[in-house]
């Protein structure tokens, strides 16, 4: 019988596969539903399912009536993007600490903490351009997970993925580094460069992430591949398996670009943050052949289209406003100095670049 998800109870037996984001089953038929399954179905907004007439204990299943309750609500203040972002980072930190203590990853919790952010960014894409302002080196790991989730989902939508697919990509982005929970806290908190042995241990985190997610309800093969391969490179120079472009999943290529972009624009214990313009210029040149060109170009075009009118600080200390962005050289726009009003074409001034994007 077909019933609303709200009518289900523990002990119901699925008569057909439940599919959510794609044709890959979210929960397979003949599954006996538990409280965890009910939470997953609710988290993935499944409206109805097909179940057997009998419960697992042999009793007839009689779906309860759904009654509409009228609730008088009072207007609530809409949270700003920064409030949503910091709340997500704080919640992710709590989840990460629980993984360090050995608890299982709860996909419903990850989805709940990223969905308000993803929806806000899709409505107002310019928020993507401000992510580098909001992180601290002390909590970099948690900021990075949330930012990679946002960037991955956004890039997925820009490339043309369906809503279900880019939401799934956002979940993958948030979980790429969940395996860091198995890395020594001493290594995670080290303020200097890592020793070779420590770096080799950190390079195992994609495998740890894969192992932690394998078999969890609601985690598809696409999520697993994105998590496992997000440090792989097109030319085979990445890790942990050294796979090349033909074997790397599209989702992993998107997460790879999001991961390296946010890492390079972030303040770290051993490295100062760099401006999005500088990072995009470096990625376009230094990472050529290692990252998927289409994804890099999508990020380049998307981020820089938001920056017209933005105030920046140049490498000589001068502040300027961006007037025009040439698509042939988007990281070197035409700017107007705040102090003198002089207009500069950065494409003709290779010794001068945008050092920082100001609020």
């Amino acid at each position: 019988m077909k019933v609303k998800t709200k009518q289900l109870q523990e002990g119901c037996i699925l008569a057909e596969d439940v599919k959510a984001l794609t044709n890959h089953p979210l929960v397979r038929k003949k599954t006996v539903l538990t409280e965890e399954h009910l939470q997953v179905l609710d988290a993935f907004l499944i409206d109805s399912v097909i179940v057997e007439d009998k419960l697992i204990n042999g009793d007839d299943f009689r779906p309860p009536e759904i009654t509409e309750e009228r609730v008088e609500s009072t207007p609530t203040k809409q949270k700003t993007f920064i409030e949503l972002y910091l709340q997500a980072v704080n919640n992710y930190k709590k989840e990460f600490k629980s993984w360090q203590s050995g608890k299982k990853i709860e996909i419903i919790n990850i989805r709940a903490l990223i969905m308000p952010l993803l929806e806000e960014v899709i409505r107002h894409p310019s928020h993507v351009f401000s992510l580098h302002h909001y992180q601290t080196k002390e909590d970099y790991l948690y900021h990075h997970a949330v930012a990679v989730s946002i960037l991955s989902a956004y890039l997925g939508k820009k490339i043309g993925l369906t809503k279900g697919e880019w939401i799934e990509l956002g979940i993958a982005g948030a979980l790429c580094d969940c395996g860091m929970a198995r890395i020594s806290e001493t290594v995670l908190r080290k303020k200097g460069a890592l020793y070779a042995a420590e770096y080799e241990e950190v390079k195992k985190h994609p495998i740890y992430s894969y192992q932690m997610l394998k078999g969890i309800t609601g985690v598809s093969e696409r999520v697993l591949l994105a998590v496992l391969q997000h440090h792989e490179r097109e030319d085979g120079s990445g890790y942990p398996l050294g796979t090349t472009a033909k074997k790397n999943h599209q989702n992993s290529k998107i997460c790879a670009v999001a991961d390296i972009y946010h890492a390079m624009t972030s303040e770290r214990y051993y490295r100062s943050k760099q401006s999005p313009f500088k990072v995009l210029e470096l990625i376009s040149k230094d990472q050529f052949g290692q990252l998927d060109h289409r994804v890099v170009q999508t990020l380049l075009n998307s981020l820089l289209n938001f920056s017209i009118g933005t105030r920046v600080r140049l490498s000589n200390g001068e502040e300027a406003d961006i007037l025009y962005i040439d698509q042939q050289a988007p990281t070197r726009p035409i700017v107007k100095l705040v102090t003198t009003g002089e207009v500069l074409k950065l494409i003709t001034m290779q010794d001068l670049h945008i050092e920082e994007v100001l609020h």
Side-chain angles (χ1 to χ4, degrees):
M1 73 177 79
K2 185 175 184 178
V3 297
K4 294 288 187 181
T5 304
K6 292 180 180 179
Q7 296 174 295
L8 293 173
Q9 66 184 67
E10 292 185 67
C12 285
I13 306 169
L14 287 179
E16 294 184 9
D17 289 344
V18 178
K19 297 176 181 178
L21 304 176
T22 66
N23 288 329
H24 184 80
L26 178 65
V27 187
R28 293 189 179 278
K29 65 180 180 180
K30 301 303 181 184
T31 296
V32 179
L33 297 182
T34 64
E35 178 62 29
E36 180 186 18
H37 291 121
L38 298 180
Q39 291 178 351
V40 169
L41 294 175
D42 182 62
F44 279 82
L45 306 180
I46 304 300
D47 181 64
S48 59
V49 299
I50 308 294
V51 296
E52 304 286 354
D53 295 334
K54 297 282 188 180
L55 297 171
I56 190 62
N57 63 7
D59 292 343
D60 291 333
F61 174 51
R62 296 186 176 86
E65 293 291 330
I66 298 177
T67 58
E68 297 292 334
E69 296 183 7
R70 293 190 62 183
V71 179
E72 296 295 329
S73 59
T74 56
T76 56
K77 179 184 176 183
Q78 186 75 26
K79 288 187 176 180
T80 64
F81 175 77
I82 183 59
E83 289 173 332
L84 290 172
Y85 172 82
L86 293 176
Q87 178 180 325
V89 170
N90 187 54
N91 288 339
Y92 183 90
K93 184 175 182 178
K94 293 176 182 177
E95 295 296 316
F96 188 87
K97 294 296 184 183
S98 75
W99 306 333
Q100 286 182 308
S101 68
K103 291 186 179 178
K104 186 176 71 172
I105 293 172
E106 299 286 350
I107 294 298
I108 186 173
N109 295 350
I110 301 302
R111 183 184 174 94
L113 73 86
I114 66 168
M115 277 307 298
L117 274 174
L118 301 190
E119 291 170 350
E120 181 66 16
V121 165
I122 296 306
R123 284 195 297 268
H124 304 288
S126 58
H127 290 311
V128 174
F129 194 58
S130 63
L131 286 174
H132 64 290
H133 284 305
Y134 302 140
Q135 64 90 38
T136 63
K137 57 188 176 184
E138 292 79 14
D139 282 343
Y140 164 77
L141 187 62
Y142 320 120
H143 285 270
H144 185 62
V146 174
V148 171
S149 171
I150 294 170
L151 286 161
S152 298
Y154 175 75
L155 287 171
K157 185 175 189 305
K158 292 293 290 184
I159 284 172
L161 301 185
T162 66
K163 182 176 181 180
E165 289 169 337
W166 59 253
I167 289 175
E168 185 178 55
L169 192 50
I171 292 172
L175 293 170
C176 280
D177 287 350
C178 66
M180 288 290 193
R182 293 190 178 177
I183 304 295
S184 163
E185 186 76 17
T186 302
V187 173
L188 292 181
R189 292 295 176 186
K190 189 171 182 179
K191 296 184 179 181
L194 299 178
Y195 293 124
E198 293 171 333
Y199 182 55
E200 288 303 313
E201 180 63 20
V202 169
K203 285 170 65 177
K204 295 177 183 177
H205 79 269
I207 295 176
Y208 296 153
S209 298
Y210 181 90
Q211 292 171 341
M212 290 168 66
L213 289 165
K214 184 71 173 176
I216 291 181
T217 302
V219 177
S220 70
E221 191 67 19
R222 292 172 303 281
V223 170
L224 290 173
L225 285 174
V227 165
L228 179 64
Q229 298 178 336
H230 73 283
H231 279 293
E232 302 291 358
R233 296 293 179 257
E234 301 288 281
D235 60 1
S237 63
Y239 63 85
L241 303 176
T243 51
T244 57
K246 289 184 179 179
K247 290 189 176 181
N248 295 337
H249 192 276
Q250 174 184 251
N251 284 6
S252 72
K253 297 180 181 186
I254 294 171
C255 287
V257 172
D259 176 83
I260 196 168
Y261 167 79
H262 183 259
M264 292 176 70
T265 57
S266 298
E267 186 80 17
R268 310 284 289 276
Y269 278 125
Y270 53 87
R271 186 177 64 206
S272 298
K273 68 178 179 180
Q274 302 177 81
S275 81
F277 288 86
K278 185 67 174 177
V279 168
L280 288 169
E281 190 171 302
L282 290 172
I283 288 176
S284 299
K285 295 178 181 178
D286 298 349
Q287 304 291 326
F288 185 78
Q290 295 188 343
L291 299 172
D292 185 280
H293 174 73
R294 182 174 67 137
V295 181
V296 172
Q297 197 60 44
T298 300
L299 176 62
L300 192 66
N301 293 340
S302 299
L303 288 179
L304 298 184
N305 281 340
F306 301 140
S307 60
I308 295 175
T310 299
R311 182 155 295 185
V312 297
R313 180 177 292 109
L314 304 179
S315 54
N316 63 0
E318 289 269 15
E319 292 187 10
D321 294 326
I322 295 176
L323 296 181
Y324 174 74
I325 295 176
D326 185 345
Q327 291 301 313
Q328 299 303 312
T331 61
R332 293 190 163 273
I334 296 175
V335 300
K336 181 179 179 181
L337 296 181
V338 173
T339 53
T340 65
E342 181 183 359
V343 174
L344 305 178
K345 295 181 179 180
L346 296 185
I347 194 171
T348 65
M349 310 173 74
Q350 292 302 309
D351 60 335
L352 192 64
H353 63 264
I354 294 175
E355 188 68 39
E356 182 181 4
V357 178
L358 305 175
H359 288 284

